[in-house]
Structure formats: structure tokens, C-alpha cells
Amino acid sequence: MIDMRMLKKIDWATILLVLLLVGFGLVSIASIMATPFDGTESSLNDYIDRLNLNYVKKQAVNFLIGAAAFLFVIVFDYQVYKPLIKFIYMGNLGLLALLLIIDKTNRGISAWFVFEAIDRSIQPSELCKLSIIMALSIIASNAMAKNEGKFKGFRSIFLALLLCGIPTALVMLQPDFGTAFVYLCIMIVIFFVARIGWGYIAAAAGAAAAGLPAAYFFLMNDDQQFRIKVFLDPTLDPQNKGYNVLQSKLAIGSGQLYGKGYFSSGTLAQLRYVPERHTDFVFAGIAEGLGFVGGMILILTFFVLIFRWLWIALHAKDYLGMCLVAGCAGMLLAHIFENIGMTMGLMPVTGIPLPFISYGGSNLLTNMIAVGIVEGVWMRRPSQKITHRA
């Protein structure tokens, strides 16, 4: 089961990109959380005193935990997921269900198990993303093996929809619509890579086109409808529901082309004009510090990583490996699209972190395990190009 010789085949491009992103995230958090410099600093100690490294240290520990999980994952052949996934999936569902009966946080959300003794918390909905990737990949790959590389069969498709739909419903009850969005994106990417029939795609598009307006008018209450209106026009409620987006857009705009620089004097993020500046809205602080150019370089780095993973998926030795990597790429893509979109007012504010950048242990652990899954598929690729996958 464990073959240490596989470590020689590791994809160093992925490792380099991930290390760059994590390192950049640590520097960004240090800059955003620092007390603004005022020009009176005269020594190295004066500059150090301005820094608030509490979250940087915690995130560094989070990365080391994630790195340990990454090393554990890559030494196992990914075929081991097949007999284990039912237990992993059911365990995740149990944790999600348990969250619904505990007290909500001050933001009205039941999404974390908090361990105050060690000053840590865990978010089961993050780890459930991996369970969904594994479960859907196994179902899709088995169907593809039976149908000449295409995801066919009503039973298989219904089972896949059910396995994704149950945790999606549970996180929506927390409520956490952002994570539900990520679950659906993972499913869509795996279905697309698995070559699901266009008839199913057309039916899903038609159902969404009819269901979304119906949900707005008949299922949503007045407050939920108002939230959508504020998303379209944040100035309708600038001091409450539209506040985060307005402040984020102000910070991004103040960065202009090249930004104000990191560890500089009095950025809006450092002055706490930007809410959740080290987690959900970290991109606003980055764009303010590095400007449009820095923000675009970060986005391009993310997409290089995603395209690299899609290339690895195309060179996997079997359908299971292909679907696993595609699901991990879909997870990253959903996070990047939603997080950066919401900081600019292009997507609803849903509390989705920016992968490898935002502070957060559960998300970083999930991402590092995903890196391990991708590396595990790549290290077990065939030595020659194959024309048939089992």
C-alpha cells in the first residue's frame, strides 16, 4: 500500500506554487494586522513593535499541521479511498448534523466546534468538501468505466446528486450558503470532466432557470429578499448589510495601480476600516497594498495552479484519479471566484476564505490534504501515455 519510491515522482511545480501562496499569505496577514507606521520609527525594534504577529504564528502552525496531513496522504495509493469513503462521509454528516443542535456564534451561524482550552476550532463543512470529492469521484469513475468513458446511468447520477445534496442541505441550515455553493461547484466540475450527457446539463440549466425565480418570490422571506437587493446595490443599507462590501471596494480602489505598499503608513485595512481583514476580506487588504498589478499577479498565480491540476487530471492513470484532481481544482476555483468576487461586490458576501491566503486552520488543512490528493495521483501516473482508463 505504501511505496516510498513514489516520493521521487512528486510534482514540484505544485509544491512551489503552494509554498509561494502560503508564504505570501503570511506576509499579507502580518502587513494587514500591523499597527500603522507613522514615520517615527528609528530602529528595528520600533518596526517590530508595530507588528501584530499573533495570527501569523497561528497560521504558521496551521500550515505545519496541514503539511503533516499532506505527507500522510501522499504515501497511500488513492485507491484506498474506495473502502473508506463511506465511513468518512457518514462521519462528516454526523458532525454537520451535530452542529445544528449547538449554540450559534455571535454571527448567528453554527459552523464550528470550538476548543477554548487550546484556542482552536474546527469547521466540519471544510473537511466535508474532501468527502464529497471522494464520493462523487468514485461514483463517476465507476460509471465511466462501464460506459466507455462517459458518466451515464440514472441510478449513478441520482446517487451522486443525493450524496452532494445531503451535506449541501445541512450547511444551508447552519446557515452557510457560501460552502453550499462550493459543494455544488465541486459536483459540476466532476460531472463535466466525467463527460455527463448534455441532456442532463440542459435539464439542470432549465430547472435552475425556473427554480431560482420561484425560490426568490415564494420561498424567501422579506429579509432574505432584501439581502439580495443589497447585494445588487450595497448603498441601500450602507451601515449594515452593505457595509462590508462598500468598505472593501473603498480599500481596493485606494490601492490604484501599484498600491500603497506593505507595512506602510495608515492603510484602510490596518486602520480597521475593512471588516474581517485577515480572513474573508484579505484580498481587499492585498489589493490596497499592492494595487491592481499585485492583485492580478495573485489571481494569475492561482490560475496557473488550477490549470496545472487540470493538466495532471488529464494524465491520471485512471478515471478515479482524473475525477479526484478535477474535484480539488473545482474546489479551489469556487473559493477564488467567490472570495475575490465578494470583495469587489460581484458576488454575495458568504464568508468564503481565499485558499492558502486567508487566516483559518480548517480551510488550510483541507487545502493541504487536497494538495496531497493531487500529488498522490500525479506520483502514480503511468510511465507512458494511456488510451484507456479503468
Side-chain angles (χ1 to χ4, degrees), residues 160-345:
L161 291 172
L162 183 64
L163 290 179
C164 184
I166 294 175
T168 299
L170 288 174
V171 298
M172 289 179 70
L173 291 173
Q174 290 180 355
D176 184 355
F177 295 96
T179 299
F181 170 78
V182 175
Y183 290 172
L184 294 177
C185 287
I186 290 171
M187 182 183 69
I188 290 171
V189 171
I190 291 177
F191 279 12
F192 181 79
V193 171
R195 299 172 63 192
I196 194 170
W198 286 103
Y200 294 104
I201 296 176
L212 292 178
Y216 176 83
F217 289 107
F218 301 108
L219 297 180
M220 293 184 178
N221 56 38
D222 292 340
D223 181 67
Q224 291 170 326
Q225 290 181 356
F226 184 66
R227 286 178 178 273
I228 294 178
K229 293 177 182 177
V230 172
F231 157 62
L232 297 174
D233 183 7
T235 60
L236 292 175
D237 192 7
Q239 298 301 319
N240 189 11
K241 293 181 173 63
Y243 179 80
N244 291 8
V245 172
L246 291 174
Q247 296 301 101
S248 174
K249 291 168 70 174
L250 182 63
I252 292 173
S254 70
Q256 301 186 39
L257 186 60
Y258 297 109
K260 298 177 179 178
Y262 272 11
F263 305 102
S264 58
S265 175
T267 64
L268 295 176
Q270 291 172 346
L271 293 171
R272 300 190 178 184
Y273 281 91
V274 179
E276 309 294 341
R277 63 194 191 279
H278 62 302
T279 53
D280 301 343
F281 287 87
V282 69
F283 183 78
I286 292 171
E288 183 183 18
L290 301 180
F292 174 81
V293 173
M296 285 304 301
I297 292 175
L298 176 60
I299 293 173
L300 289 174
T301 303
F302 274 123
F303 276 91
V304 169
L305 179 62
I306 290 173
F307 283 119
R308 177 65 181 177
W309 285 11
L310 292 177
W311 188 84
I312 290 175
L314 294 175
H315 291 78
K317 71 176 183 180
D318 52 27
Y319 293 130
L320 176 58
M322 181 176 68
C323 291
L324 284 170
V325 178
C328 292
M331 179 181 70
L332 280 192
L333 181 62
H335 269 264
I336 296 164
F337 181 79
E338 168 62 22
N339 179 273
I340 296 178
M342 76 178 185
T343 63
M344 296 188 292

Side-chain angles (χ1 to χ4, degrees), residues 140-153 193-197 319 322 387-390:
S141 61
N142 288 340
M144 292 171 73
K146 297 177 182 178
N147 297 286
E148 299 179 347
K150 293 185 178 181
F151 189 15
K152 293 181 179 180
V193 171
R195 299 172 63 192
I196 194 170
Y319 293 130
M322 181 176 68
T387 58
H388 174 73
R389 292 184 173 93

